[in-house]
Every structure is written in C-alpha cells, then in structure tokens.
Amino acid sequence: MENFVDISQAEKVYAVDGINQGLRNDGRELMDFRPIVVEFDVMPNTHGSARVRLGQTDLIAAIKLKMRQVTDTEDFSNRIDFYVTCSAVASPDFAGKHGDDCAQRIASLLRKAYRNDFILPELKKFKLSKDRYYQTKVDILILQYDGNAVDAASIAAKAALSDLKFIIPTMIARDKGKTVPQLPGKARSQIQTLDISNVPMIVTLNSFGDNIFLDATLEEEQCVGGVLHVGVIPLKEENYMNEIEMKEQAENCFITLLKNTKPNIFHEEKFDQVLSIGIEAAIELNRVLLNRIEEYKREPKKNAEDRIESFMGDLQF
C-alpha cells in the first residue's frame, strides 16, 4: 500500500534495523499481529455488520441486501460486491484523492478474492425467482488507518457475513412472468444465516531484504520492499493442534488471491517458502476469528426486531 506522508530517515533506519533483528518497534516478532478486536451487530438498519480494530487501524463493514429486478436471474452470477470508503480524518495519507486510491485498491483485492463460485455457494438462495434477486453489498468504512487495512478489511468482511441475517420471501407470480415478494407468515422464525466456511481470509506479506513480516504498521509500510497479498480458504476442519497438522492443513487449502503489488521483489527460488508462510498465517487468523464468531453466537442478541423491520421495508415496491 503506497503512502504519501513520509517519516524521517532516522525513523526508517530505526524501523528497518528492528526488522533485521527480528524485533519490531512495538515489541512484536516478525510473524505477530497486533491485538485484534472484533465486534458484531454494530450498525443499525443493516443485515449484518462488524467492527474490527487491528492495532490502531479501525474500520466497520456493513452489509445491506437489496431486492433487484432483472430480465432473467440465470444470466448472471450473483456475487458479493465491495465498496470501501476512507474517512478523510483516518490518516494524513487520505488527503485529496489519495484516500479514494487506497479505497479502490482494497475493494479490488476483496472482489478478486471473492470472485469464485466455490465461495458462498449459498448465494444461490438469493436468486429469488426468474426476475428478482438479492443484491449483496458490503460497505467498508475506514475510520482510522495505521497500516494493514487489507487484512483488517478481510477480517471485517468475514465477520459481517457471519452476522448476516436474512429471510427468503415467498415469490408470487404475476402477469408476464413477473413476481412480487411476500414475507412468510411467521417471518421471525424464518431468519437464515450463511455458511461462511468457504469465505477467504487475506493475509499481507511484507518483505525487507531477506526478512518477511506480517501486519505492517503505517511506518513499516513505508520501508517495505515487497508486498504480497494471499487469499486463502482453509478446510472446514479447524481442530488441528500442532505444527504438523497445520502444515497438512496448508497443503490442502484453496488460494483465491495472489497479488504481488511490488513485482520482482520476491525471489522465485523463495516464493514457495513465502507462500507457505502466508497460507499458515491465514489459517491461524481464520481459526482465531472463527473462535470469536462462536463466542459472539453465545452472547445475547439485541437487534433481531430491527432486522425484521428492515426486511419488511426492503420488500415494499
């Protein structure tokens, strides 16, 4: 991720020296993430939302389903689309149009990672009839930026999708092959969720010299020589407990994104090793997020009635 606010040469030397010694300015080792906080159901009048704080990087993902009418729903693949906005006060980097450039890069990476029919096969439910479907839009707002927004956005998107609640209406046939929606009689008992097992996790690998490290801060991003984004779908079996089982998991996962934003930096002979690091990091990050999702499911829910009202409003034509 390009940055437009320079740190001093002395700060760069200090950061690079720490990376070369395997110890970062904030005390982390090269493969460590900063503390991650994930909250759910944080936005009213949405069908799913989550807030993620990765160190000082802070963003919100919100999902809204909108019923659309088309000529024939069989003519297109119904996929999730992503829109990212960088708050003007999130970082000095976002002055002028630079925030838009950053937002477009993050949205593009998310779209590429999700552009696969293997991801969220349950989206076929959102083709409600021959002429109507649910458009699925994920809006991500970056509130504060301190590096590694791509990984944070990936976490927030998956967390928000896990929080998504929806109802499949009954479609009533009308003239000329058109249909109109009707909520089931006991709508509150018909709320559904998506299986997010196949939702990818994106991890960003950064390099300086021969060193590879994760979760770069804003200052570290200005020192990196190479950046590689790896999108991974781990297998559903998440109960591995040791290093051997994790390596076996890494060999059988699916890669949905492989984007080198600084070409010719990662040496070909080391690429397999670098990719393996990214896959294992994505698997571990996914495991931690799934644990947090399961924890949230045991918490009292607060906005179920609001979501029903939101669906009722969306079904009015």
Side-chain angles (χ1 to χ4, degrees), residues 180-194:
V180 294
Q182 178 178 299
L183 282 175
K186 297 181 179 179
R188 287 165 180 77
S189 64
Q190 302 296 318
I191 296 177
Q192 300 184 41
T193 60
L194 290 177

Side-chain angles (χ1 to χ4, degrees), residues 27-258:
R28 289 181 292 145
E29 295 183 359
L30 298 184
M31 294 296 109
D32 290 344
F33 278 83
R34 289 167 289 175
I36 303 173
V37 178
V38 181
E39 300 176 74
F40 300 86
D41 199 8
V42 295
M43 292 290 291
N45 301 320
T46 66
H47 299 131
S49 61
R51 183 175 183 177
V52 170
R53 290 186 288 275
L54 175 56
Q56 296 301 311
T57 294
D58 188 356
L59 51 80
I60 291 177
I63 303 176
K64 192 73 174 177
L65 300 182
K66 188 70 175 179
M67 188 174 291
R68 299 294 187 186
Q69 188 169 18
V70 294
T71 302
D72 191 344
T73 55
E74 296 300 322
D75 291 340
F76 68 100
S77 297
N78 188 21
R79 298 214 174 107
I80 295 175
D81 204 358
F82 293 89
Y83 298 87
V84 180
T85 304
C86 297
S87 169
V89 298
S91 168
D93 281 7
F94 299 157
K97 68 175 183 177
H98 295 155
D100 294 337
D101 294 339
C102 174
Q104 290 173 9
R105 286 194 294 270
I106 296 171
S108 176
L109 288 168
L110 288 167
R111 290 173 189 142
K112 289 177 181 177
Y114 278 71
R115 194 174 298 158
N116 190 313
D117 289 332
F118 186 67
I119 295 169
L120 289 173
E122 288 183 306
L123 285 180
K124 62 185 179 183
K125 294 180 180 179
F126 290 178
K127 291 184 178 183
L128 305 174
S129 64
K130 185 178 178 61
D131 68 326
R132 293 189 188 270
Y133 74 101
Y134 274 145
Q135 179 187 34
T136 312
K137 179 180 175 183
V138 180
D139 284 297
I140 298 176
L141 173 62
I142 299 177
L143 303 170
Q144 184 172 349
Y145 181 75
D146 188 29
N148 202 20
V150 173
D151 293 17
S154 170
I155 296 169
K158 186 161 186 169
L161 285 167
S162 76
D163 186 50
L164 178 64
K165 305 292 189 297
F166 60 93
I167 295 172
I168 300 298
T170 301
M171 305 305 295
I172 307 299
R174 289 292 185 262
D175 294 339
K176 299 180 181 179
K178 295 184 178 181
T179 59
V180 294
Q182 178 178 299
L183 282 175
K186 297 181 179 179
R188 287 165 180 77
S189 64
Q190 302 296 318
I191 296 177
Q192 300 184 41
T193 60
L194 290 177
D195 179 1
I196 61 163
S197 301
N198 289 349
V199 172
M201 184 66 65
I202 301 176
V203 166
T204 301
L205 298 167
N206 309 276
S207 73
F208 183 84
D210 293 330
N211 297 300
I212 306 297
F213 60 99
L214 302 171
D215 188 22
T217 63
L218 178 61
E219 291 79 10
E220 289 173 338
E221 285 185 345
Q222 298 185 57
C223 304
V224 300
V227 177
L228 179 69
H229 303 286
V230 182
V232 177
I233 302 176
L235 297 180
K236 291 185 179 181
E237 293 77 17
E238 295 287 347
N239 296 320
Y240 44 85
M241 297 297 293
N242 56 51
E243 184 176 350
I244 294 177
E245 290 173 332
M246 181 173 288
K247 289 185 180 298
E248 292 176 350
Q249 176 84 349
E251 292 174 356
N252 293 286
C253 68
F254 295 90
I255 297 176
T256 66
L257 174 69
L258 198 59

